[in-house]
Amino acid sequence: MALHGGNVKHKRRERIDRGIKVRSDDIFALTSYREFLYVSVPPVAPVILLLALPLILPLYWQKVLITTSVFAILALSWDFLVTVGMVSLGQALFFGIGAYLAGYLDIRFALPIWTTIPLATLVGGLLSAILLLPVLRLRGVYFSMVTLVLPLMFERTIEATGWFGGTEGLTGLKSFPNIWIECYLIVIALLLVFFGLRRLVTTDYGLVLTAIKNNDRAVMSGGINIYWMKAQALFITGSIGAFCGAFMTHVYSFVGMPVFALDYSILPLASAVVGGMGTFAGSLLGAFILVPLSEALRGIGGLRTVIYAVSLVVFIVAIPEGIFHYVQRKYQQFERWAEVEN
Amino acid sequence: MLEVTIIYGFINSIILALIALGFSLTFGISGVSNFAYGAMYIMAGYAVWIMINLIGLPFPVAAILAVIFTALFGLALYRLVLLRVRGMVISEVIATFGVGLAILELFRYLGFTGFEYTLPVFTDGSLMIGDTYIDHQRLWIVGIGISLALGLYLFTRYTKTGLAFRGIAQDEQTALSLGINSDRVAGLSVAFGSGLAAIAAILILPRGTISVNEGYDVLINAMAVCIIGGLGSTVGVIVASFMIGYAQMITDAFSGPHWKMIVSLVAILIILLVKPSGLFGKQKELEERI
């Protein structure tokens, strides 16, 4: 720096953990209500809010809450798959498989809702995992390519063959007794998936899954069969997606080709990217920002997908950390300008 | 019947090869993702339509301008978006896919659908081979398609730029140490690929109306050809195009046009199961497999 002459002071931004974070990091150090609240408000407040929302919202927004929760769950499952190193461009695949399974079980065997949804969840997860087995041996973009292709393939197949009602879809399916059950079922499912996945990735099992993303060869040399692990991760994601599909089938009492639409692939992806990948909380936050926003902007119709796509690009290029990581940083750390020693 | 299948299968294969060339140049040969490829194809089509019908330019001028414009757009896409996420595969895929999606859905929103959106053919007329009619446009497609494929083969083997394209995909560090500016080369590669997409669009789109959905089909077909042929191989692109092209024609002839699209999708899955690096793929064979 001497080249420029003089004493040019260079500064860099320094981030330091807040005192309250340092003190409350360890649960034994909690000594005041302030510290207790600092730790407990971020996880507890959203839970209370989510459980209270169905009670205070009007009917229309209850419906929006249901869609938002479904997209949030899909975003969580997308985020989980990314944690294992697989980037899906087609969550609609899992969603659609579940939706059609539930519809088919209902029409063909006249099973009650409480059987079709669990069955569709499990069988859907299994089917998704089997379908994607060929891609597991490849790294890089192959997984994205194939997941992009598969939902389209299902859509075309159903259109071409007329199976499962063809272009008409399956109508007159059983629906839930009332909207309260719908609301609370999906909200509780959302909380279960959210906390379940967060817990899962911190267990030993989750550690192995994360390691596959970071260095698959190292995991293999540890004597672990990574294809089997990846297949299990796919089953988990597939089941979660299939559950959403099966649930929506019974909410609409209808299932048709739109369940494989791009919306169900791009919105979860956009939610996770906008909210921030890797923490699950980000995906949740992203979905609860994007979906109600798009509902409020319903008037613009087809422009919605454009907005999702653009926000996706802007975030991935300019703010790759996402909203959640930014907020988290502000909550836990403060910043100051520090002089750099030459 | 057999004759028609053979001739139209040939033409269909050349069309697939033409569609895949640009994608293969960018993704296969230089290793840069461009999932906005289908959108660029459609964008070039609409650009020509707008220049002819709204501005009133003659077709040849409009076509050349559209190719240049699309290539510049590719360059801009690289400079503004891809450059910042280069090397992070996930981000590359998501960012380019997002750009493509935004373009396609914007066209849909602006109402660019309908029968009036057609491009003029190069020369009108048709030809008989045996009992089969072939219009001149298809002959143009075959002629230009074959010369472009040949050109690409020679380009990637005997020109410095072409060798640099392959170099940055094989080993970027070594390419850098040999004086190849990998950012510049990768940008050029996206631009060339986009230009090829525009050429393909101008040749192929006159066969029907321009529709937004075709953008997705183009991307999928291009991906299928590249995966099956193997990344980084021009010969692979040609062989894979012929395989899928004839397979599509045969399914079309025997079980109806709806099944046509499914062929390439099934082909991708089978090839990934049997030979993941593709028929002729050598590049990074080890790094992509685990």
Side-chain angles (χ1 to χ4, degrees), chain A residues 28-46:
Chain A
F28 301 109
L30 292 182
T31 51
S32 68
Y33 272 112
R34 216 173 144 247
E35 281 166 21
F36 178 71
L37 288 176
Y38 176 84
V39 177
S40 57
V41 165
V44 173

Side-chain angles (χ1 to χ4, degrees), chain B:
Chain B
M1 178 69 187
L2 183 66
E3 196 185 75
V4 176
T5 311
I6 290 175
I7 292 174
Y8 272 84
F10 184 78
I11 296 170
N12 191 32
S13 309
I14 299 285
I15 289 176
L16 275 176
L18 203 53
I19 284 174
L21 277 180
F23 189 73
S24 157
L25 180 70
T26 310
F27 180 65
I29 293 172
S30 324
V32 187
S33 321
N34 181 5
F35 280 60
Y37 187 76
M40 287 177 172
Y41 176 93
I42 293 300
M43 194 171 71
Y46 283 127
V48 174
W49 188 89
I50 289 169
M51 279 191 271
I52 293 175
N53 292 295
L54 301 184
I55 305 177
L57 293 175
F59 176 63
V61 180
I64 292 168
L65 278 180
V67 173
I68 296 173
F69 168 71
T70 317
L72 285 179
F73 182 82
L75 198 62
L77 174 73
Y78 183 79
R79 278 281 142 196
L80 299 177
V81 177
L82 266 171
L83 188 62
R84 290 152 205 266
V85 291
R86 188 100 161 78
M88 294 180 282
V89 183
I90 299 178
S91 309
E92 275 185 18
V93 173
I94 296 176
T96 50
F97 183 64
V99 170
L101 197 68
I103 296 172
L104 285 176
E105 295 301 321
L106 189 65
F107 276 124
R108 199 197 298 278
Y109 174 71
L110 294 175
F112 278 89
T113 42
F115 291 110
E116 71 269 31
Y117 295 101
T118 49
L119 294 186
V121 291
F122 282 30
T123 49
D124 220 355
S126 63
L127 195 78
M128 289 277 280
I129 296 181
D131 294 329
T132 316
Y133 274 106
I134 304 172
D135 49 325
H136 279 177
Q137 187 65 24
R138 289 195 161 80
L139 292 179
W140 279 105
I141 290 176
V142 171
I144 298 181
I146 292 176
S147 27
L148 275 181
L150 200 66
L152 187 69
Y153 180 81
L154 297 175
F155 172 73
T156 52
R157 268 175 183 71
Y158 299 108
T159 64
K160 281 201 167 175
T161 324
L163 287 169
F165 280 15
R166 288 165 65 198
I168 59 163
Q170 280 169 12
D171 192 332
E172 198 164 339
Q173 310 277 326
T174 314
L176 275 170
S177 71
L178 290 172
I180 295 169
N181 182 346
S182 70
D183 279 339
R184 210 175 66 90
V185 173
L188 268 185
S189 149
V190 178
F192 278 30
S194 314
L196 281 173
I199 295 176
I202 292 162
L203 276 167
I204 296 168
L205 285 175
R207 294 183 316 138
T209 55
I210 316 174
S211 82
V212 172
N213 285 335
E214 207 175 328
Y216 298 108
D217 291 354
V218 163
L219 178 64
I220 288 172
N221 275 326
M223 264 167 23
V225 170
C226 283
I227 292 181
I228 291 166
L231 299 184
S233 161
T234 318
V235 182
V237 169
I238 306 297
V239 174
S241 311
F242 273 89
M243 284 174 59
I244 301 179
Y246 273 103
Q248 279 185 348
M249 264 303 142
I250 291 166
T251 23
D252 191 11
F254 290 104
S255 28
H258 278 309
W259 290 96
K260 223 172 126 178
M261 203 63 208
I262 300 171
V263 171
S264 41
L265 310 172
V266 173
I268 296 182
L269 286 183
I270 293 176
I271 206 83
L272 286 178
L273 199 62
V274 179
K275 195 170 185 306
S277 51
L279 295 173
F280 290 87
K282 294 217 162 44
Q283 221 167 71
K284 301 218 168 175
E285 199 175 357
L286 283 176
E287 278 140 85
E288 270 154 8
R289 287 189 79 157
I290 355 170

